[in-house]
Amino acid sequence: MDPFHIDIPQQDLDDLHERLAKTRWPGELPGAGWDYGVNQAYLAELIEYWQHGFDWRAQEARLNEYPQYTTTIDNQRIHFVHARSPEPDATPLIITHGWPSTIADFRDILGPLTDPKAHGGDPEDAFHVVAPSVPGFAFSGPTTERGWNTRRTARAWAELMNRLGYERYGAQGGDFGSIVSPELGRQAPEAVLGVHINAVANAGVPTAPGDLDRLSEEDRKRAQENETWWYAHSGYATQMATRPQTLAYALNDSPAGQLAWNLEWFVDWDPTTSDQSPVSRDAILTNVTIFWLTGTAGSAARLYLEAGQDGWGERPAPSGVPTAVVNFKGDHAVRGLAELSNTVTRWSEYDTGGHFASLQAPKELIDDIREFFRGL
């Protein structure tokens, strides 16, 4: 375990600003808005802020507030935050981000989770939090060999928690983390006391013949609506799951292009009509800047191909680990589909937040995590 401190050379930041100033704009159809993809006026305004208003050093200092380390697991460097609670009997909890996120998404929830007393909560709800960067992402990247799918990542997490001396712990995750965390429960059921997931990525549409027949009428309708929605929104995933290297050249050469690519999710396609809670400009740009400075946009995209080759579109094996699923505004998990692979003991629906719950509904996410693990 080697201590890690983020300290980006100034020349890298200067290079970023120079590239932003030289952005070549493609133009767009009059009145197109968001119908063809990210709106140019919106992107131009955000890039202007990235150049002249965004303070990377302030974000860097915030990221460095919690102890960080790197270690090598299965020939891959793994970066992680290890935020221990002042409460000695706190429950260990490993939390996993998704795409296009980094551990920066968790900054607003680490304090309340590790030290609830200092945030008006019950000390008995405290957690020792481990927040790793997914292999290939940010400071855990790039990957240097094939095969870093969600199952291999889960095995690495089990090894990481073992090295940290945690024999019994909980797992939480959203987006790709909603696949990794249950998989961790399948691979280490004797160690994982419970799994809590949001922005569930593999329980929105049927994945096997006969799945729809197993659902209630309400769930069947929801799953069919999800299929229609996903067909219209899955272009980014298809590209990364089939030809990520081709995309990597553009993302690694143009910060404007990388920002536009990541915005597809961060702003919910069209922020002018979305009813989700907005993600702040600083949160979006902190994530994108980390990808840019570490040169890992292409490496992170490879996770989609690796996961697809490992059967991402198939239904996971059943897990007996108690599992909580939470749907925030715009999430698409269907309980009947989730129950085909998980022992769902808690199901929550919120009419606020969004796909990035730790950024869009941190209080509700924290409360749901606490209530679930309190029962265990």
Side-chain angles (χ1 to χ4, degrees):
M1 302 289 180
D2 298 315
F4 182 84
H5 185 82
I6 304 171
D7 186 14
I8 300 299
Q10 185 59 42
Q11 65 188 34
D12 291 353
L13 300 177
D14 294 341
D15 175 71
L16 168 60
H17 290 147
E18 290 173 6
R19 289 171 182 264
L20 289 171
K22 296 178 180 179
T23 299
R24 293 180 61 201
W25 295 103
E28 62 182 353
L29 293 174
W34 289 75
D35 293 344
Y36 290 78
V38 172
N39 174 253
Q40 183 165 304
Y42 185 97
L43 182 63
E45 182 180 345
L46 193 52
I47 285 179
E48 174 73 15
Y49 177 70
W50 199 0
Q51 282 185 269
H52 304 294
F54 177 70
D55 187 347
W56 165 256
R57 293 301 183 193
Q59 303 303 323
E60 185 180 66
R62 282 197 65 196
L63 290 166
N64 284 326
E65 288 177 359
Y66 290 95
Q68 301 169 68
Y69 303 86
T70 61
T71 189
T72 300
I73 299 176
D74 196 5
N75 300 318
Q76 176 64 37
R77 180 178 65 179
I78 302 296
H79 161 264
F80 63 99
V81 168
H82 188 195
R84 285 188 59 83
S85 171
E87 306 297 334
D89 295 329
T91 301
L93 179 70
I94 183 167
I95 58 178
T96 306
H97 65 82
W99 183 92
S101 294
T102 68
I103 53 96
D105 281 13
F106 300 137
R107 290 177 297 176
D108 290 339
I109 68 174
L110 287 176
L113 286 175
T114 57
D115 193 1
K117 183 178 180 181
H119 294 81
D122 186 342
E124 293 195 4
D125 288 330
F127 296 92
H128 298 307
V129 178
V130 179
S133 297
V134 171
F137 286 63
F139 305 107
S140 282
T143 46
T144 58
E145 58 186 25
R146 297 170 182 255
W148 274 102
N149 50 48
T150 52
R151 278 194 265 201
R152 189 173 178 182
T153 299
R155 290 197 299 271
W157 282 191
E159 172 61 19
L160 176 60
M161 296 302 275
N162 181 59
R163 291 186 188 183
L164 292 172
Y166 294 133
E167 297 179 356
R168 192 87 166 130
Y169 50 86
Q172 201 283 328
D175 192 81
F176 259 110
S178 75
I179 302 176
V180 173
S181 298
E183 184 59 31
L184 179 56
R186 293 183 183 94
Q187 296 196 25
E190 74 290 342
V192 178
L193 62 94
V195 172
H196 183 283
I197 49 179
N198 64 283
V200 179
N202 60 354
V205 298
T207 57
D211 278 357
L212 289 177
D213 296 335
R214 304 185 185 195
L215 304 180
S216 66
E217 182 177 348
E218 180 181 352
D219 279 357
R220 188 181 306 117
K221 179 182 178 182
R222 188 170 186 174
Q224 291 170 328
E225 291 173 347
N226 288 345
E227 285 187 299
T228 302
W229 180 90
W230 181 241
Y231 178 79
H233 293 80
S234 60
Y236 81 102
T238 300
Q239 176 66 33
M240 293 195 289
T242 54
R243 310 299 288 172
Q245 186 63 29
T246 304
L247 176 66
Y249 299 111
L251 299 186
N252 204 57
D253 191 60
S254 169
Q258 184 186 299
L259 175 57
W261 187 256
N262 290 22
L263 273 177
E264 290 281 12
W265 278 109
F266 273 127
V267 300
D268 188 39
W269 307 93
D270 184 351
T272 63
T273 60
S274 173
D275 57 356
Q276 293 189 25
S277 302
V279 179
S280 75
R281 294 187 299 178
D282 281 348
I284 293 171
L285 291 175
T286 296
N287 276 301
V288 174
T289 303
I290 290 173
F291 278 121
W292 176 262
L293 294 173
T294 57
T296 54
S299 177
R302 288 199 289 266
L303 175 59
Y304 280 76
L305 186 146
E306 303 286 5
Q309 292 182 342
D310 192 45
W312 177 22
E314 301 172 4
R315 188 167 63 241
S319 169
V321 175
T323 301
V325 179
V326 53
N327 269 345
F328 287 95
K329 194 76 173 183
D331 285 337
H332 296 273
V334 175
R335 181 162 189 166
L337 294 176
E339 289 177 336
L340 294 176
S341 301
N342 304 281
T343 302
V344 178
T345 60
R346 177 182 174 86
W347 186 274
S348 306
E349 302 267 355
Y350 290 87
D351 59 1
T352 186
H355 188 80
F356 303 92
S358 60
L359 297 175
Q360 295 172 287
K363 182 183 182 302
E364 290 81 358
L365 178 63
I366 291 166
D367 288 345
D368 209 85
I369 293 172
R370 287 173 175 170
E371 290 181 24
F372 172 61
F373 284 102
R374 190 184 299 144
L376 300 178

